[in-house]
Structure formats: C-alpha cells, structure tokens
C-alpha cells in the first residue's frame, strides 16, 4: 500500500473492478432466468471478463502512472481478483464447474456457508476494495492487518493496539467539532426564539421595552396572537428579513463551494487530524491511518461492526 499512492490505487482498483462489474451485469443480469445455464452464454460471460482481466490492461495502467516495478506486481495481483470475478460469473451462468457452488443460477448450501459475515473474515482484496469506498469497518481492518504485519502479532493483539490508535485519533475531537456545535445551537435557538418574539404578548412587550421602545397598540388591538404579530412585525421584519437574506446568500455560497469540491474548515480539520495520527504512529502505513482517521465521525466515535 505504501508503494501505491491513493490516486494510483483508486485508478487501478476502481477502473478494472468497474469494467468487470459492468461486463458481468451486462452479460448475466439481462439473461432470461431460464436460459442462464447454457454453455454459449457462459462462454460470452467468460470472454467479457477474461478481456477485462487481460494483464496487458494492467501493464498499460501501471506504467502510465510511472509506478515502480513493485507497483506493477501489485497491479498484477489485481488480475487474479478480476479472474476470480470471471469464475464467479461462470458459476452464475451455470458453466465451468458450477455444480459445486451454483445450481440453476442459485447458490448451494455449501457455498452459502462460505459467505464472509464480518470484515475480519474477508480477503485482503475485499477489504481494500471497501476501504477505497470509505467504509469505516474496512478502513479499520486495513490498519489492524498492517499492525499485525509490522508488529508480528496476531489479530486480537493487533486490535488492542488499534484501540489506542482510535483513542489517539479522537483526541481534541471536541474542539474540532466546536464550530459545528455552535452553529447548530445558534440556529436552533434562534429559530425557536423567533416564534414568541413575534406572537407572544408578554415576550413582545418585554423585548419592546428592553430594545425597541416603540409605542404598542391599545389592548383592544392585542387580543389575539395575530394582532400581536402585526404589532411586533414593525421591528421584527427587518431583523428576520436580513437574517433570512444573509443565510440565503451563505447557502448559495456553500453550494458553489460544494460544486468546486471545497469544504475549507471540514477538510482542514480532517487533514490535520490525519497528519497528527501519522506522526504519532510512523511505523504503520500512513495511507491506512489517513483513511481510517477521515472515516471517524466528529460527534461520537463510530461504533463499528465486527
């Protein structure tokens, strides 16, 4: 992983997995259910996936990104993953030894028992694939397996080390989330407080005496909440109108930043936290630590599945 940059791994993983899945989807999912077991259809599926799994494609992609020879070796390892997908497609089509795993396009009991039920039971290729999709459990699993290799310990011991890494990652998280907490509190409180400030007679009277000093209508014109609102609207309209226009402009500005792929503070605090975690644990793979750090939630620690 350390020999691959995130962009190169994304290029190789996403490009060829996507092409393989598209080939499987095109050739399998649109076959009538009664015809999926023919050998000619199975051959079409195999040819589609075998073309995707051709090592020539990986050689071109690997060297076009100026990767090292070891990177090409890693890219070649992707070939076996794609070919396994081709084998699975043959099983779905009812060909090439499908009697052991699939019958009539349906999995056998023996094959169903091999389904991974936890991320810990998944293969390295599966874990990497889900990690690139920013699945928190997969990012954790990458870190744990890297700990196992670096420290030469078993899985349970590596999980204990990971717990320390997780705690370190959440250090000062409350301060990183403070702007979001303050923004939520102000917006929620202001929205609730605006209702009595406009329609409640006692609140309107208090606010007028403390901040406005305007003359209110007579008691006969303040008998209902709508009449109170009409009286208070003289000074509440400029405030609420200006706040609404300001928020509208900020929302539009935020939308344009999202179109540009920019989240200034959020991205900064993520990058800062990931850098600090990598400095604290330099012996482990920086990209695995970075992916896990960015998957952790600001509000509460993400409770991960097994």
């Amino acid at each position: 992983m350390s020999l691959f940059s995130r962009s190169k791994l994304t290029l190789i993983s996403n490009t060829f997995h996507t092409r393989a899945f598209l080939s499987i989807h095109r050739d399998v999912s649109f076959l009538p259910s009664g015809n999926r077991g023919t050998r000619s259809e199975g051959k079409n599926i195999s040819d589609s996936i075998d073309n995707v799994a051709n090592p020539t494609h990986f050689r071109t992609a690997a060297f076009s990104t100026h990767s090292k020879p070891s990177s090409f070796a890693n890219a070649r390892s992707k070939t076996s993953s794609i070919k396994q997908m081709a084998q699975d497609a043959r099983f779905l089509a009812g060909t090439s030894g499908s009697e052991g795993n699939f019958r009539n396009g349906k999995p056998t009991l023996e094959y169903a028992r091999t389904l991974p039920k936890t991320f810990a039971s998944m293969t390295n290729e599966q874990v990497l694939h889900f990690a690139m999709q920013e699945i928190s459990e997969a990012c954790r699993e990458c870190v744990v397996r890297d700990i196992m290799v670096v420290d030469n310990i078993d899985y349970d011991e590596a999980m204990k080390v990971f717990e320390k890494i997780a705690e370190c990652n959440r250090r000062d998280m409350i301060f990183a989330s403070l702007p979001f907490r303050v923004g939520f509190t102000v917006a929620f409180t202001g929205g609730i407080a605006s209702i009595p400030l406009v329609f409640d007679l006692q609140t309107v009277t208090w606010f007028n005496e403390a901040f406005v000093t305007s003359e209110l209508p007579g008691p006969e014109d303040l008998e209902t909440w709508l009449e109170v609102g009409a009286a208070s609207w003289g000074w509440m309209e400029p405030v609420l109108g200006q706040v609404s226009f300001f928020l509208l402009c900020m929302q539009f500005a935020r939308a344009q930043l999202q179109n540009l792929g920019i989240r200034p503070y959020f991205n900064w605090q993520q990058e800062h936290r990931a850098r600090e975690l990598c400095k604290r644990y330099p012996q482990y793979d920086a990209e695995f630590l970075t992916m896990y750090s960015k998957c952790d939630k600001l509000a509460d620690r993400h409770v991960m599945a097994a």
Side-chain angles (χ1 to χ4, degrees):
M1 180 67 179
S2 58
L3 295 177
F4 263 119
S5 68
R6 184 183 179 90
S7 60
K8 292 176 183 177
L9 180 56
T10 304
L11 170 65
I12 293 176
S13 177
N14 290 353
T15 299
F16 296 106
H17 279 78
T18 300
R19 292 177 61 186
F21 276 119
L22 288 175
S23 298
I24 294 174
H25 184 71
R26 182 182 65 251
D27 293 328
V28 177
S29 62
F30 292 101
L31 289 176
S33 58
N35 297 330
R36 292 188 183 177
T38 63
R39 297 185 63 84
S40 61
E41 291 160 349
K43 184 176 184 302
N44 292 336
I45 297 169
S46 301
D47 292 343
S48 298
I49 308 302
D50 286 340
N51 288 336
V52 176
N54 189 332
T56 304
H57 293 90
F58 286 98
R59 186 178 299 112
T60 302
F63 288 120
S64 65
T65 55
H66 305 288
S67 53
K68 299 179 181 180
S70 57
S71 298
F72 174 66
N74 288 335
R76 286 292 298 271
S77 68
K78 294 291 181 180
T79 306
S80 61
S81 177
I82 300 297
K83 287 187 175 180
Q84 180 60 47
M85 296 168 63
Q87 184 67 22
D88 292 340
R90 296 188 188 100
F91 289 157
L92 289 173
T95 62
S96 183
S98 61
E99 291 302 320
N101 293 327
F102 286 84
R103 293 190 182 94
N104 299 323
K106 299 177 182 178
T108 63
L109 176 60
E110 291 75 13
Y111 185 64
R113 286 172 176 166
T114 65
L115 176 69
K117 296 183 178 180
T118 64
F119 282 87
S121 62
M122 292 183 179
T123 65
N124 290 337
E125 290 76 13
Q126 291 171 327
V127 170
L128 281 174
H129 175 74
F130 287 116
M132 294 308 300
Q133 307 304 316
E134 299 182 351
I135 305 299
S136 300
E137 290 80 1
C139 294
R140 174 206 63 187
E141 193 65 26
C142 287
V143 176
V144 172
R145 297 188 186 191
D146 188 48
I147 295 171
M148 294 174 65
V149 174
V150 174
D151 295 349
N152 195 27
I153 55 179
D154 60 19
Y155 189 88
D156 292 335
E157 292 298 321
M159 280 298 298
K160 296 178 182 179
V161 178
F162 170 78
E163 289 297 329
K164 297 179 181 179
I165 293 177
E167 291 298 328
C168 179
N169 186 59
R170 294 204 60 80
R171 185 179 302 167
D172 298 331
M173 191 78 80
I174 184 66
F175 298 108
S177 64
L178 191 60
F180 303 106
R181 296 176 185 272
V182 171
F184 167 78
T185 303
V186 171
F188 183 81
T189 304
I192 297 299
S194 66
I195 298 175
L197 284 171
V198 175
F199 298 110
D200 180 67
L201 179 59
Q202 292 182 348
T203 307
V204 168
T205 302
W206 167 81
F207 189 84
N208 178 54
E209 293 176 353
F211 301 102
V212 183
T213 66
S214 178
E215 183 177 355
L216 289 174
E220 66 278 4
D221 293 328
L222 297 174
E223 295 178 350
T224 67
W225 61 275
L226 289 176
E227 290 178 331
V228 174
S232 65
W233 197 244
W235 62 78
M236 292 301 297
E237 181 181 17
V239 177
L240 297 180
Q242 175 57 35
V243 171
S244 299
F245 182 74
F246 175 79
L247 292 178
L248 178 65
C249 292
M250 293 299 101
Q251 185 178 21
F252 180 77
R254 179 176 181 270
Q256 305 317 306
L257 289 178
Q258 288 180 326
N259 291 336
L260 295 172
I262 300 174
R263 299 182 67 182
Y265 175 75
F266 185 82
N267 290 342
W268 173 83
Q269 61 87 21
Q270 274 194 334
E271 295 291 344
H272 175 74
R273 189 169 65 250
R275 284 195 303 268
E276 293 300 317
L277 189 64
C278 293
K279 289 179 182 179
R280 180 68 183 272
Y281 296 94
Q283 68 271 34
Y284 303 126
D285 189 277
E287 294 204 27
F288 286 156
L289 292 175
T290 299
M291 286 192 298
Y292 165 73
S293 178
K294 291 183 177 181
C295 286
D296 207 357
K297 296 192 302 183
L298 281 174
D300 298 299
R301 181 178 177 181
H302 180 66
V303 180
M304 299 186 184

